[in-house]
mmCIF file of all heavy atoms in Angstrom:
data_model
loop_
_atom_site.group_PDB
_atom_site.id
_atom_site.type_symbol
_atom_site.label_atom_id
_atom_site.label_comp_id
_atom_site.label_asym_id
_atom_site.label_seq_id
_atom_site.Cartn_x
_atom_site.Cartn_y
_atom_site.Cartn_z
ATOM 1 N N VAL Q 1 12.265 -14.503 9.070
ATOM 2 C CA VAL Q 1 11.115 -15.095 8.436
ATOM 3 C C VAL Q 1 9.913 -15.019 9.316
ATOM 4 O O VAL Q 1 8.881 -14.779 9.072
ATOM 5 C CB VAL Q 1 11.532 -16.334 7.848
ATOM 6 C CG1 VAL Q 1 10.239 -16.977 7.354
ATOM 7 C CG2 VAL Q 1 12.588 -16.260 6.701
ATOM 8 N N ILE Q 2 10.139 -15.605 10.590
ATOM 9 C CA ILE Q 2 9.018 -15.697 11.588
ATOM 10 C C ILE Q 2 8.688 -14.308 11.936
ATOM 11 O O ILE Q 2 7.433 -14.124 11.984
ATOM 12 C CB ILE Q 2 9.540 -16.540 12.768
ATOM 13 C CG1 ILE Q 2 9.875 -17.939 12.388
ATOM 14 C CG2 ILE Q 2 8.436 -16.568 13.848
ATOM 15 C CD1 ILE Q 2 10.455 -18.859 13.432
ATOM 16 N N THR Q 3 9.491 -13.430 12.371
ATOM 17 C CA THR Q 3 9.089 -12.154 12.820
ATOM 18 C C THR Q 3 8.459 -11.248 11.749
ATOM 19 O O THR Q 3 7.561 -10.582 12.018
ATOM 20 C CB THR Q 3 10.321 -11.441 13.449
ATOM 21 O OG1 THR Q 3 11.372 -11.426 12.603
ATOM 22 C CG2 THR Q 3 10.757 -12.153 14.709
ATOM 23 N N LEU Q 4 8.995 -11.342 10.563
ATOM 24 C CA LEU Q 4 8.418 -10.553 9.464
ATOM 25 C C LEU Q 4 6.943 -11.196 9.234
ATOM 26 O O LEU Q 4 6.076 -10.361 8.906
ATOM 27 C CB LEU Q 4 9.147 -10.556 8.140
ATOM 28 C CG LEU Q 4 8.649 -9.943 6.947
ATOM 29 C CD1 LEU Q 4 8.193 -8.463 7.406
ATOM 30 C CD2 LEU Q 4 9.602 -9.990 5.851
ATOM 31 N N THR Q 5 6.860 -12.453 9.213
ATOM 32 C CA THR Q 5 5.372 -13.003 8.938
ATOM 33 C C THR Q 5 4.445 -12.413 9.922
ATOM 34 O O THR Q 5 3.350 -12.085 9.710
ATOM 35 C CB THR Q 5 5.476 -14.495 9.053
ATOM 36 O OG1 THR Q 5 6.318 -14.996 7.912
ATOM 37 C CG2 THR Q 5 4.155 -15.169 8.761
ATOM 38 N N ALA Q 6 4.880 -12.515 11.250
ATOM 39 C CA ALA Q 6 4.079 -12.053 12.458
ATOM 40 C C ALA Q 6 3.706 -10.475 12.206
ATOM 41 O O ALA Q 6 2.462 -10.271 12.387
ATOM 42 C CB ALA Q 6 4.896 -12.176 13.682
ATOM 43 N N ARG Q 7 4.659 -9.787 11.747
ATOM 44 C CA ARG Q 7 4.417 -8.330 11.520
ATOM 45 C C ARG Q 7 3.403 -8.078 10.524
ATOM 46 O O ARG Q 7 2.411 -7.329 10.470
ATOM 47 C CB ARG Q 7 5.720 -7.559 11.339
ATOM 48 C CG ARG Q 7 5.491 -6.038 11.266
ATOM 49 C CD ARG Q 7 4.839 -5.418 12.396
ATOM 50 N NE ARG Q 7 4.709 -4.000 12.370
ATOM 51 C CZ ARG Q 7 5.747 -3.140 12.753
ATOM 52 N NH1 ARG Q 7 6.861 -3.503 13.238
ATOM 53 N NH2 ARG Q 7 5.475 -1.804 12.536
ATOM 54 N N PHE Q 8 3.637 -8.825 9.416
ATOM 55 C CA PHE Q 8 2.710 -8.851 8.197
ATOM 56 C C PHE Q 8 1.292 -9.139 8.655
ATOM 57 O O PHE Q 8 0.300 -8.509 8.178
ATOM 58 C CB PHE Q 8 3.245 -9.878 7.197
ATOM 59 C CG PHE Q 8 2.342 -10.077 6.038
ATOM 60 C CD1 PHE Q 8 2.307 -9.167 4.892
ATOM 61 C CD2 PHE Q 8 1.597 -11.275 5.886
ATOM 62 C CE1 PHE Q 8 1.562 -9.384 3.859
ATOM 63 C CE2 PHE Q 8 0.836 -11.493 4.735
ATOM 64 C CZ PHE Q 8 0.767 -10.469 3.634
ATOM 65 N N LEU Q 9 1.137 -10.219 9.460
ATOM 66 C CA LEU Q 9 -0.328 -10.566 9.648
ATOM 67 C C LEU Q 9 -0.899 -9.637 10.796
ATOM 68 O O LEU Q 9 -2.079 -9.475 10.840
ATOM 69 C CB LEU Q 9 -0.182 -12.048 10.346
ATOM 70 C CG LEU Q 9 0.207 -13.134 9.309
ATOM 71 C CD1 LEU Q 9 0.258 -14.526 9.968
ATOM 72 C CD2 LEU Q 9 -0.942 -12.972 8.057
ATOM 73 N N GLN Q 10 0.036 -8.974 11.472
ATOM 74 C CA GLN Q 10 -0.585 -7.954 12.343
ATOM 75 C C GLN Q 10 -0.911 -6.708 11.710
ATOM 76 O O GLN Q 10 -1.995 -5.924 12.037
ATOM 77 C CB GLN Q 10 0.632 -7.574 13.435
ATOM 78 C CG GLN Q 10 0.812 -8.681 14.489
ATOM 79 C CD GLN Q 10 2.083 -8.419 15.239
ATOM 80 O OE1 GLN Q 10 2.731 -7.488 15.116
ATOM 81 N NE2 GLN Q 10 2.395 -9.470 16.038
ATOM 82 N N VAL Q 11 -0.209 -6.303 10.633
ATOM 83 C CA VAL Q 11 -0.618 -5.236 9.859
ATOM 84 C C VAL Q 11 -1.925 -5.465 9.098
ATOM 85 O O VAL Q 11 -2.681 -4.482 8.781
ATOM 86 C CB VAL Q 11 0.495 -4.818 8.764
ATOM 87 C CG1 VAL Q 11 0.206 -3.813 7.906
ATOM 88 C CG2 VAL Q 11 1.759 -4.391 9.596
ATOM 89 N N PHE Q 12 -2.103 -6.655 8.577
ATOM 90 C CA PHE Q 12 -3.282 -7.132 7.930
ATOM 91 C C PHE Q 12 -3.947 -8.089 8.741
ATOM 92 O O PHE Q 12 -3.909 -9.320 8.351
ATOM 93 C CB PHE Q 12 -2.784 -7.516 6.534
ATOM 94 C CG PHE Q 12 -2.123 -6.623 5.677
ATOM 95 C CD1 PHE Q 12 -0.765 -6.745 5.468
ATOM 96 C CD2 PHE Q 12 -2.926 -5.614 5.036
ATOM 97 C CE1 PHE Q 12 -0.116 -5.845 4.712
ATOM 98 C CE2 PHE Q 12 -2.198 -4.652 4.189
ATOM 99 C CZ PHE Q 12 -0.816 -4.804 3.946
ATOM 100 N N PRO Q 13 -4.740 -7.739 9.717
ATOM 101 C CA PRO Q 13 -5.184 -8.688 10.714
ATOM 102 C C PRO Q 13 -6.610 -9.247 10.279
ATOM 103 O O PRO Q 13 -6.995 -10.271 10.909
ATOM 104 C CB PRO Q 13 -5.340 -7.853 12.003
ATOM 105 C CG PRO Q 13 -5.632 -6.492 11.549
ATOM 106 C CD PRO Q 13 -4.841 -6.371 10.248
ATOM 107 N N SER Q 14 -7.209 -8.643 9.366
ATOM 108 C CA SER Q 14 -8.595 -8.963 9.116
ATOM 109 C C SER Q 14 -8.745 -10.080 8.060
ATOM 110 O O SER Q 14 -8.116 -10.038 7.084
ATOM 111 C CB SER Q 14 -9.347 -7.767 8.423
ATOM 112 O OG SER Q 14 -10.657 -8.071 8.031
ATOM 113 N N SER Q 15 -9.579 -11.033 8.401
ATOM 114 C CA SER Q 15 -9.888 -12.152 7.377
ATOM 115 C C SER Q 15 -10.836 -11.744 6.365
ATOM 116 O O SER Q 15 -11.128 -12.465 5.536
ATOM 117 C CB SER Q 15 -10.499 -13.386 8.266
ATOM 118 O OG SER Q 15 -11.782 -12.978 8.820
ATOM 119 N N ASP Q 16 -11.252 -10.436 6.384
ATOM 120 C CA ASP Q 16 -12.046 -9.894 5.327
ATOM 121 C C ASP Q 16 -11.352 -9.778 3.985
ATOM 122 O O ASP Q 16 -11.787 -9.647 2.884
ATOM 123 C CB ASP Q 16 -12.726 -8.659 5.624
ATOM 124 C CG ASP Q 16 -13.750 -8.751 6.863
ATOM 125 O OD1 ASP Q 16 -14.200 -9.803 7.062
ATOM 126 O OD2 ASP Q 16 -14.007 -7.564 7.614
ATOM 127 N N MET Q 17 -9.959 -9.595 4.133
ATOM 128 C CA MET Q 17 -9.088 -9.603 2.887
ATOM 129 C C MET Q 17 -8.323 -10.955 2.719
ATOM 130 O O MET Q 17 -8.147 -11.610 3.749
ATOM 131 C CB MET Q 17 -8.150 -8.391 2.971
ATOM 132 C CG MET Q 17 -7.156 -8.557 3.898
ATOM 133 S SD MET Q 17 -6.029 -7.121 4.177
ATOM 134 C CE MET Q 17 -5.496 -7.019 2.452
ATOM 135 N N THR Q 18 -7.919 -11.231 1.498
ATOM 136 C CA THR Q 18 -7.063 -12.260 1.399
ATOM 137 C C THR Q 18 -5.666 -12.032 1.782
ATOM 138 O O THR Q 18 -5.086 -11.085 1.425
ATOM 139 C CB THR Q 18 -7.148 -12.756 -0.124
ATOM 140 O OG1 THR Q 18 -8.615 -12.774 -0.663
ATOM 141 C CG2 THR Q 18 -6.475 -13.966 -0.410
ATOM 142 N N ARG Q 19 -5.068 -13.005 2.441
ATOM 143 C CA ARG Q 19 -3.719 -12.996 2.951
ATOM 144 C C ARG Q 19 -3.028 -14.183 2.530
ATOM 145 O O ARG Q 19 -3.466 -15.305 2.802
ATOM 146 C CB ARG Q 19 -3.541 -12.613 4.366
ATOM 147 C CG ARG Q 19 -4.235 -11.418 4.864
ATOM 148 C CD ARG Q 19 -4.305 -11.344 6.398
ATOM 149 N NE ARG Q 19 -5.298 -12.240 6.881
ATOM 150 C CZ ARG Q 19 -5.358 -12.617 8.168
ATOM 151 N NH1 ARG Q 19 -4.670 -12.114 9.112
ATOM 152 N NH2 ARG Q 19 -6.288 -13.575 8.659
ATOM 153 N N THR Q 20 -1.834 -14.014 1.849
ATOM 154 C CA THR Q 20 -1.071 -15.155 1.369
ATOM 155 C C THR Q 20 0.471 -14.950 1.781
ATOM 156 O O THR Q 20 0.943 -13.928 1.651
ATOM 157 C CB THR Q 20 -1.139 -15.120 -0.165
ATOM 158 O OG1 THR Q 20 -2.476 -15.207 -0.580
ATOM 159 C CG2 THR Q 20 -0.407 -16.495 -0.764
ATOM 160 N N VAL Q 21 0.982 -16.080 2.319
ATOM 161 C CA VAL Q 21 2.318 -16.116 2.682
ATOM 162 C C VAL Q 21 3.053 -17.249 1.945
ATOM 163 O O VAL Q 21 2.619 -18.373 2.027
ATOM 164 C CB VAL Q 21 2.491 -16.319 4.164
ATOM 165 C CG1 VAL Q 21 3.992 -16.331 4.607
ATOM 166 C CG2 VAL Q 21 1.793 -15.316 5.050
ATOM 167 N N VAL Q 22 4.047 -17.014 1.201
ATOM 168 C CA VAL Q 22 4.835 -17.853 0.425
ATOM 169 C C VAL Q 22 6.358 -17.952 0.943
ATOM 170 O O VAL Q 22 7.012 -16.971 1.156
ATOM 171 C CB VAL Q 22 4.842 -17.455 -1.097
ATOM 172 C CG1 VAL Q 22 5.733 -18.442 -1.900
ATOM 173 C CG2 VAL Q 22 3.512 -17.313 -1.694
ATOM 174 N N ASN Q 23 6.728 -19.172 1.147
ATOM 175 C CA ASN Q 23 8.045 -19.470 1.641
ATOM 176 C C ASN Q 23 8.842 -20.243 0.488
ATOM 177 O O ASN Q 23 8.387 -21.245 -0.033
ATOM 178 C CB ASN Q 23 8.007 -20.455 2.814
ATOM 179 C CG ASN Q 23 9.301 -21.057 3.268
ATOM 180 O OD1 ASN Q 23 10.280 -20.364 3.260
ATOM 181 N ND2 ASN Q 23 9.319 -22.432 3.547
ATOM 182 N N ILE Q 24 9.920 -19.574 0.054
ATOM 183 C CA ILE Q 24 10.716 -20.207 -1.017
ATOM 184 C C ILE Q 24 11.721 -21.114 -0.281
ATOM 185 O O ILE Q 24 12.416 -20.880 0.608
ATOM 186 C CB ILE Q 24 11.597 -19.201 -1.719
ATOM 187 C CG1 ILE Q 24 10.749 -18.095 -2.417
ATOM 188 C CG2 ILE Q 24 12.506 -19.863 -2.703
ATOM 189 C CD1 ILE Q 24 9.663 -18.752 -3.447
ATOM 190 N N THR Q 25 11.400 -22.443 -0.602
ATOM 191 C CA THR Q 25 12.103 -23.547 0.094
ATOM 192 C C THR Q 25 12.974 -24.401 -0.853
ATOM 193 O O THR Q 25 13.345 -23.877 -1.918
ATOM 194 C CB THR Q 25 11.104 -24.504 0.832
ATOM 195 O OG1 THR Q 25 11.741 -25.296 1.712
ATOM 196 C CG2 THR Q 25 10.301 -25.230 -0.226
ATOM 197 N N SER Q 26 13.255 -25.493 -0.503
ATOM 198 C CA SER Q 26 14.135 -26.466 -1.199
ATOM 199 C C SER Q 26 14.088 -27.817 -0.697
ATOM 200 O O SER Q 26 13.644 -28.025 0.438
ATOM 201 C CB SER Q 26 15.682 -25.937 -1.008
ATOM 202 O OG SER Q 26 16.617 -26.914 -1.459
#
């Protein structure tokens, strides 16, 4: 989860676009 999130934010680094990360928890 941590490493995929890091990769996701590296692929989409610009704050010019909206970026959303959702964690399914309990």
